[in-house]
Coordinates of all heavy atoms in Angstrom, one line a residue:
A9 N -4.2 -2.7 1.2 CA -3.2 -3.6 0.7 C -2.5 -4.5 1.9 O -2.3 -5.6 1.8 CB -2.1 -2.9 -0.1
F19 N -3.8 -16.9 6.7 CA -4.5 -18.0 6.0 C -3.6 -18.8 5.1 O -4.0 -19.2 4.0 CB -5.8 -17.7 5.4 CG -6.9 -17.2 6.4 CD1 -7.0 -15.9 6.7 CD2 -7.7 -18.2 6.9 CE1 -8.0 -15.5 7.7 CE2 -8.7 -17.8 7.9 CZ -8.8 -16.4 8.2
L65 N -0.3 -16.0 -0.8 CA 0.9 -15.3 -0.7 C 2.0 -16.2 -1.3 O 2.1 -17.4 -1.1 CB 1.3 -15.1 0.8 CG 2.4 -14.2 1.2 CD1 2.0 -12.8 0.8 CD2 2.5 -14.2 2.7
N104 N 6.2 26.1 -4.6 CA 6.0 24.7 -5.1 C 7.3 23.9 -5.0 O 7.3 22.7 -4.6 CB 5.4 24.7 -6.4 CG 3.9 25.0 -6.4 OD1 3.2 24.9 -5.3 ND2 3.3 25.4 -7.5

Side-chain angles (χ1 to χ4, degrees):
F19 292 92
L65 196 62
N104 285 341

